Amino acid sequence: QSALTQPASVSGSPGQSITISCTGSSSDVGGYKYVSWYQQHPGKAPKLMIFDVSDRPSGVSNRFSGSKSGNTASLTISGLQAEDEADYYCSSYTSGRTLAFGGGTKLTVL
Amino acid sequence: QVQLVESGGGVVQPGRSLRLSCAASGFTFSFYGLHWVRQAPGKGLEWVAVIWYDGSNSYYADSVKGRFTISRDNSKNTLFLQMNSLRAEDTAVYYCARDEIELAGATIPDYWGQGTLVTVSS
């Protein structure tokens, strides 16, 4: 059961766009539509931001978008705002009927 | 609204056992799979286990297989995690989370509880 690979950190200025990648394999990210992204602020529970690769739950800003190409999924945040500063985790259903998480990416809004 | 409230965390000695509970409300409990996910202090999320909506199947991370057991009581809207032979590396906040899929096998979590802290230390 391997973790998915995310960059440790990304940063951007208010108003800019950033993209966080999440690389897995054909046994997880590349093989299923069940890829999700979570936002976690310090001391808080994770919050679902994107599910099924590119769908947004009700109430999540349309500044958040998801996509996938091959074994790599991506989360893009446009029009960065100070409140977007948080840790972001990707996850994917796997062929073993388990769930894999990425190591997390710390987003800093400069 | 969907609510998940974990309980049962605390300080426990290595090798001992602990049972976590997760009380659910705001949705039809018996329709959804449920996950346990943990987060060691200052670390990332680690998936622990999942149980299908009807309890017919459960799956575990290699790191807990054979030591932890996930179960549910659909008559009491409650999820459990029985943790045996605890190790220092099991120290973490444990979250329960509902699966996104209704009346099918489990896939990814959507709603999460606030977590309960388990500390394994002598």
Side-chain angles (χ1 to χ4, degrees):
Chain A
Q1 295 170 345
S2 301
L4 309 176
T5 300
Q6 297 181 232
S9 63
V10 297
S11 62
S13 300
Q16 289 186 331
S17 295
I18 62 96
T19 296
I20 300 172
S21 62
C22 171
T23 301
S25 69
S26 58
S27 297
D28 39 63
V29 174
Y32 303 94
K33 72 170 187 174
Y34 301 114
V35 176
S36 56
W37 290 90
Y38 303 92
Q39 177 191 66
Q40 187 180 36
H41 287 108
K44 300 294 187 181
K47 175 187 175 184
L48 181 66
M49 305 303 284
I50 295 288
F51 68 98
D52 296 356
V53 176
S54 58
D55 290 339
R56 265 190 319 275
S58 173
V60 172
S61 171
N62 60 9
R63 298 185 299 104
F64 291 82
S65 62
S67 63
K68 187 178 81 167
S69 177
N71 297 335
T72 298
S74 298
L75 172 71
T76 297
I77 309 173
S78 59
L80 267 180
Q81 300 179 0
E83 68 220 45
D84 299 332
E85 184 162 295
D87 294 325
Y88 291 85
Y89 295 90
C90 63
S91 74
S92 173
Y93 180 76
T94 81
S95 59
R97 299 190 179 186
T98 62
L99 190 69
F101 279 100
T105 299
K106 181 177 181 59
L107 169 62
T108 300
V109 180
L110 302 171
Chain B
Q1 71 281 20
V2 173
Q3 229 179 350
L4 299 163
V5 180
E6 303 91 339
S7 62
V11 180
V12 60
Q13 293 180 328
R16 305 296 291 265
S17 298
L18 203 62
R19 189 195 202 200
L20 304 183
S21 299
C22 173
S25 60
F27 64 100
T28 305
F29 184 80
S30 61
F31 283 13
Y32 290 87
L34 294 158
H35 302 259
W36 284 103
V37 178
R38 68 185 181 183
Q39 187 170 34
K43 302 297 185 182
L45 300 173
E46 179 188 14
W47 178 81
V48 173
V50 66
I51 187 167
W52 285 18
Y53 68 103
D54 57 358
S56 61
N57 286 287
S58 56
Y59 302 92
Y60 298 89
D62 289 343
S63 58
V64 306
K65 201 173 295 183
R67 299 188 299 123
F68 290 12
T69 302
I70 188 171
S71 62
R72 63 191 296 160
D73 185 338
N74 283 352
S75 68
K76 296 182 179 179
N77 290 1
T78 305
L79 173 72
F80 302 101
L81 184 67
Q82 178 66 43
M83 304 186 294
N84 298 333
S85 303
L86 282 161
R87 306 166 180 168
E89 53 264 37
D90 295 319
T91 293
V93 173
Y94 284 74
Y95 295 99
C96 70
R98 193 192 77 167
D99 195 82
E100 63 159 353
I101 296 285
E102 190 178 282
L103 293 172
T107 54
I108 58 172
D110 52 8
Y111 290 94
W112 297 60
Q114 288 304 303
T116 186
L117 176 62
V118 173
T119 302
V120 183
S121 173
S122 53

